[in-house]
Amino acid sequence: MHTGDFNWALIPSFLAALDRGSLMAAARTLDTSQPTVGRHIGELEAQLGVVLFERTGRGLVPTAHAHRLAEAARSMSGAADQLARQASGAQLEARGTVRISASQPVTCVLLPPLLRQMRELHPDIQIELVSSNAVSNLLQREADIALRMVRPDQSSLVAKRVGRVTIGTFAHRDYLRRRGTPRVPTDLLAHDLVGNDRNTDILRGFAAMGFPLQREDFAVRTDDLNAYQAAVTSGLGVGFLARYAVRENPELVPLLPMLDIPPLPMWLAVHREIRSNPRIRRVWEFLATALPQALA
């Protein structure tokens, strides 16, 4: 008999019969029927090719083969119980809170619909959202999982690329009715532009196109990403927004498709030591699957 062919499900019936001394008592212990226990013992004897019990009027008398099998069977039964306890403990450990750190548009627009799906799958896991771009959130254990536009290079962090954020040029329909629609990139120089305050990303983007603008060339400036999107949505000017953030707003019109704005990679990061935590791993695995589809 090959070990892989052995039916370990027969062992509980064998041990119950060994301990209780009769099929009827074993069946009561296992909350099953007497014929079922008898059938299990018969199958086990057939698999092993030995007789385990002598059937007498007083019940079952274990043979020498039964006593030899008993020690291994009890060890296996104890290991199965321990495995069940560990699995139950892991299930309980999966309950609780997972803290996610991400930028404002990600926490306000991208994540909520995904987290609604995740909560349906794992209702025992609560989520805390932190709007921040600081890698220190993870290093200082202020967050369990982080979404970042730059790959963390700290050796204590594990990062997985989950997609890329495409950036487009947008303006509200009301603004375009008032000021006209830019048709080529140079038209932007005659428009109200929404830019950054201290962040230089947009300035460097214009410089790369051959337009060395200054801060004062932007009608509205803010480094707050929610305020930036609100400024464009309110019709204050032309701005540059993540496409996922404007999908549900038909009033924002995409402009200048010829502008080649480099997409930003999105990285899912977690501290190496806590990735094995059951509830953190479940959230990590869900986001690793859901985010690429949401960003596509």
Side-chain angles (χ1 to χ4, degrees):
M1 181 192 70
H2 296 290
T3 304
D5 297 331
F6 186 77
N7 185 358
W8 294 102
L10 305 176
I11 291 297
S13 291
F14 163 70
L15 288 176
L18 183 67
D19 293 338
R20 298 302 175 184
S22 73
L23 296 179
M24 182 179 297
R28 283 198 299 266
T29 299
L30 297 174
D31 193 23
T32 187
S33 68
Q34 181 175 336
T36 297
V37 176
R39 186 176 69 254
H40 286 175
I41 292 174
E43 290 178 11
L44 184 58
E45 290 177 326
Q47 285 193 14
L48 297 175
V50 297
V51 175
L52 296 173
F53 295 100
E54 297 290 345
R55 279 71 169 174
T56 70
R58 294 170 304 180
L60 300 177
V61 178
T63 65
H65 296 295
H67 288 299
R68 283 195 293 270
L69 177 62
E71 183 178 353
R74 293 191 196 283
S75 297
M76 191 207 75
S77 179
D81 289 342
Q82 182 181 6
L83 181 63
R85 286 193 299 270
Q86 289 176 346
S88 177
Q91 184 68 29
L92 291 174
E93 198 175 342
R95 301 171 182 266
T97 300
V98 174
R99 192 170 173 88
I100 302 174
S101 172
S103 68
Q104 288 171 327
V106 173
T107 56
C108 293
V109 180
L110 184 64
L111 281 180
L114 301 183
L115 294 177
R116 182 190 65 202
Q117 299 173 29
M118 194 217 70
R119 288 269 303 148
E120 292 175 357
L121 294 173
H122 306 296
D124 292 330
I125 299 177
Q126 300 91 49
I127 298 296
E128 292 178 350
L129 287 177
V130 181
S131 291
S132 172
N133 278 323
V135 174
S136 62
N137 288 128
L138 283 180
L139 297 176
Q140 298 169 11
R141 308 300 177 89
E142 296 172 0
D144 300 316
I145 295 173
L147 285 164
R148 296 288 175 260
M149 299 300 110
V150 177
R151 179 176 189 174
D153 57 5
Q154 290 81 1
S155 60
S156 59
L157 302 182
V158 176
K160 176 182 178 65
R161 183 168 172 165
V162 290
R164 29 181 230 167
V165 177
T166 55
I167 310 296
T169 308
F170 295 88
H172 195 277
R173 295 186 187 279
D174 289 344
Y175 173 85
L176 297 176
R177 279 194 287 267
R178 296 194 319 267
R179 300 292 305 275
T181 300
R183 303 296 180 185
V184 294
T186 52
D187 290 347
L188 290 175
L189 304 180
H191 279 266
D192 290 340
L193 299 175
V194 180
N196 295 137
D197 182 15
R198 293 181 176 84
N199 188 309
T200 61
D201 288 349
I202 295 178
L203 279 174
R204 286 187 282 111
F206 272 99
M209 291 190 296
F211 306 142
L213 300 183
Q214 305 298 316
R215 292 178 69 254
E216 294 73 22
D217 293 318
F218 294 88
V220 180
R221 298 185 293 272
T222 179
D223 290 331
D224 185 295
L225 297 178
N226 278 353
Y228 187 99
Q229 182 161 339
V232 179
T233 302
S234 298
L236 281 171
V238 179
F240 309 94
L241 299 169
R243 295 189 185 277
Y244 73 77
V246 301
R247 285 175 182 166
E248 303 301 322
N249 191 339
E251 297 302 305
L252 288 178
V253 179
L255 306 168
L256 305 173
M258 75 289 294
L259 274 184
D260 186 19
I261 303 176
L264 299 173
M266 180 172 283
W267 295 89
L268 187 64
V270 67
H271 202 283
R272 188 178 300 277
E273 293 178 8
I274 59 178
R275 186 177 54 167
S276 59
N277 179 292
R279 65 178 179 274
I280 294 174
R281 186 175 65 251
R282 289 186 184 187
V283 177
W284 163 279
E285 291 173 350
F286 176 85
L287 291 176
T289 300
L291 282 167
Q293 301 173 18
L295 291 170

